[in-house]
């Protein structure tokens, strides 16, 4: 696979440098219970000035590599130059997936194609004659292999919502150059309507992979699968049916204790022997956490940690809050959410819209 690295800048990735006096102290002490601190530095790291940079995108999915490096995965993305907070109509727009590598000293944007004609890094074939793209989900890095899940999205028309979820693909990539080792169509829409591939966490030698289950009645439960890493590949898949682990995905059931529709993207991670689910209400600007003692729950301790202020703007919509626990700063958790415009031309006249927002919240707020 061909890919292009755009080296953007030599930024020092240190969170002790924040926008205000209060933010400068985030690395020094935990936030007060219930306190929220807005972070603007993260956006500056991810979207620095330049001509061939990532200038907008959604997803904001981070995959930790080691103590200093993480991949960031983006869905539909803009590249190009920004002048006076505006982008030209000719700015490259990539449908699919764009990657970034953040390490202690640099930020790199990774695409397919060429600098003059960038493309999605991972691509797929047509489905039933319709064009298809791969939207990023989540993953992990082990033994110099990037394990990542992708949603196959089929475009059935030219309208904003003329697409549907078709399948989950499981990729293994070489960490050194992101070349494809192999890929597997894990599950299709004929097998399940649960979009497994988010909230991946390892526990007792098993990898737990979560998914949302959107329904016509506007519910969306949380499901979980698990697999063993055998010869550096996830195998022997099982699904939780509410009581036991089974091999038939059609027997998978929503996990108990979650009383809001889970967002398409969300996070599940472990902290202090607790499993934490962080999700935005699928249809509202509220972000919640739940905790559990085991990967399958039951889930409890529901906490409303934040109401997204952009949710009050009728010209915008917000979605897909996620946690980034690898940046844990003295018991403070970094959280992102996506923002988009209902009016497409606004994405060109105001570049700041189509970028994630970040904030910090105390882990004590979540766990108490």
């Amino acid at each position: 696979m061909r890919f292009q690295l755009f080296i953007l800048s030599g930024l020092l990735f240190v969170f002790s440098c924040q926008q205000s006096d209060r933010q400068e102290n985030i690395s020094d002490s935990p936030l007060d219970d219930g306190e929220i601190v807005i972070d603007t530095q993260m956006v500056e790291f991810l979207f620095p000035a330049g001509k061939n940079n990532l200038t907008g995108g959604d997803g904001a999915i981070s995959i930790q590599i080691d103590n200093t490096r993480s991949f960031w995965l983006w869905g539909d993305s803009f590249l190009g130059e920004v002048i006076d907070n505006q982008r030209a109509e000719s700015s490259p727009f990539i449908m699919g997936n764009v990657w970034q590598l953040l390490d202690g000293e640099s930020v790199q944007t990774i695409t397919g194609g060429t600098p003059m004609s960038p493309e999605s890094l991972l691509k797929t074939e047509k489905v039933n004659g319709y064009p298809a793209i791969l939207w990023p989900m989540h993953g992990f890095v082990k033994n110099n292999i990037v394990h990542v899940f992708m949603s196959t999205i089929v475009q059935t028309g030219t309208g904003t919502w003329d697409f549907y979820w078709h399948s989950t693909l499981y990729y293994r990539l070489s960490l050194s150059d992101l070349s494809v080792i192999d890929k597997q169509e894990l599950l299709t829409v004929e097998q399940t309507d649960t979009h497994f591939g988010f909230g991946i966490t390892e526990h007792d030698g098993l990898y737990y992979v979560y998914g949302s289950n959107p329904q016509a009645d506007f519910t969306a439960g949380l499901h979980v699968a698990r697999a063993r890493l055998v010869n550096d590949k996830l195998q022997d898949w099982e699904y939780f049916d509410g009581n036991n682990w089974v091999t038939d995905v059609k027997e998978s059931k929503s996990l108990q204790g979650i009383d809001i529709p889970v967002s398409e993207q969300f996070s599940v991670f472990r902290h202090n022997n607790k499993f934490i689910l962080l999700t935005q209400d699928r249809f509202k600007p509220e972000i919640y956490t739940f905790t559990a003692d085991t990967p399958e729950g039951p889930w409890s301790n529901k906490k409303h940690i934040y109401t997204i202020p952009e949710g009050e703007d009728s010209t915008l919509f917000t979605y897909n809050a996620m946690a980034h626990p690898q940046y844990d700063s003295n018991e403070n958790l970094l959280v992102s959410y996506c923002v988009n415009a209902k009016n497409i031309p606004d994405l060109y006249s105001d570049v700041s819209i189509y970028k994630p927002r970040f904030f910090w919240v105390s882990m004590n707020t979540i766990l108490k």
Side-chain angles (χ1 to χ4, degrees), residues 58-116:
D58 64 4
I61 301 156
S62 66
I63 299 174
Q64 184 177 11
I65 302 172
D66 52 35
N67 289 336
T68 62
R69 298 179 298 165
S70 288
F71 286 119
W72 283 74
L73 280 61
W74 304 90
D76 299 340
S77 304
F78 285 101
L79 278 73
E81 189 174 14
V82 172
I83 300 176
D84 295 330
N85 197 39
Q86 297 183 356
R87 62 170 53 94
E89 293 185 5
S90 59
S91 297
F93 177 69
I94 298 175
M95 296 183 67
N97 59 93
V98 170
W99 293 48
Q100 283 183 313
L101 174 64
L102 273 66
D103 64 28
E105 298 180 352
S106 66
V107 182
Q108 301 171 351
T109 296
I110 308 168
T111 73
T114 67
M116 295 299 296

Side-chain angles (χ1 to χ4, degrees), residues 197-235:
F198 280 103
I200 299 167
T201 186
E202 187 272 336
H203 178 61
D204 288 345
L206 291 164
Y207 284 84
Y208 291 82
V209 181
Y210 296 81
S212 62
N213 181 259
Q215 299 296 306
D217 63 358
F218 300 106
T219 59
L222 182 70
H223 290 231
V224 63
R226 69 181 187 183
R228 295 187 181 277
L229 196 65
V230 180
N231 297 325
D232 288 323
K233 188 171 185 177
L234 291 176
Q235 301 180 44

Side-chain angles (χ1 to χ4, degrees), residues 187-357:
L187 294 165
T188 68
V189 66
E190 287 81 15
Q191 296 170 297
T192 180
D193 49 13
T194 299
H195 306 167
F196 289 102
F198 280 103
I200 299 167
T201 186
E202 187 272 336
H203 178 61
D204 288 345
L206 291 164
Y207 284 84
Y208 291 82
V209 181
Y210 296 81
S212 62
N213 181 259
Q215 299 296 306
D217 63 358
F218 300 106
T219 59
L222 182 70
H223 290 231
V224 63
R226 69 181 187 183
R228 295 187 181 277
L229 196 65
V230 180
N231 297 325
D232 288 323
K233 188 171 185 177
L234 291 176
Q235 301 180 44
D236 305 325
W237 286 91
E238 297 178 312
Y239 309 90
F240 193 64
D241 70 356
N243 295 297
N244 301 297
W245 291 95
V246 297
T247 57
D248 185 354
V249 68
K250 293 186 182 298
E251 296 181 23
S252 177
K253 296 290 190 302
S254 294
L255 303 184
Q256 297 178 7
I258 302 165
D259 61 354
I260 62 169
V262 175
S263 181
E264 183 69 12
Q265 290 181 203
F266 54 86
S267 297
V268 177
F269 60 98
R270 192 169 40 162
H271 184 86
N272 290 349
N273 296 318
K274 290 285 187 179
F275 294 89
I276 299 172
L277 164 68
L278 183 143
T279 181
Q280 184 175 339
D281 185 306
R282 199 177 187 94
F283 305 108
K284 298 178 182 178
E286 277 77 44
I287 300 175
Y288 295 91
T289 59
F290 297 80
T291 59
D293 294 324
T294 65
E296 64 271 20
W299 298 83
S300 61
N301 196 28
K302 177 183 179 182
K303 295 291 177 64
H304 172 225
I305 64 168
Y306 192 60
T307 297
I308 297 171
E310 290 87 353
E312 298 180 359
D313 190 330
S314 61
T315 67
L316 305 176
F317 58 96
T318 68
Y319 51 104
N320 289 344
M322 295 196 74
H324 307 280
Q326 70 268 39
Y327 300 119
D328 182 303
S329 177
N330 205 349
E331 294 296 305
N332 301 320
L333 177 69
L334 183 67
V335 179
S336 67
Y337 59 90
C338 298
V339 180
N340 209 330
K342 295 179 181 178
N343 182 34
I344 297 300
D346 291 348
L347 299 178
Y348 293 85
S349 61
D350 184 356
V351 169
S352 68
I353 292 175
Y354 196 46
K355 295 177 181 178
R357 313 301 197 253

Side-chain angles (χ1 to χ4, degrees), residues 33 55 168 275 318:
D33 185 20
T55 65
T168 294
F275 294 89
T318 68

Side-chain angles (χ1 to χ4, degrees), residues 4 24 60 104 143 181 236 334:
Q4 184 71 28
E24 287 174 359
N143 297 334
I181 299 171
D236 305 325
L334 183 67

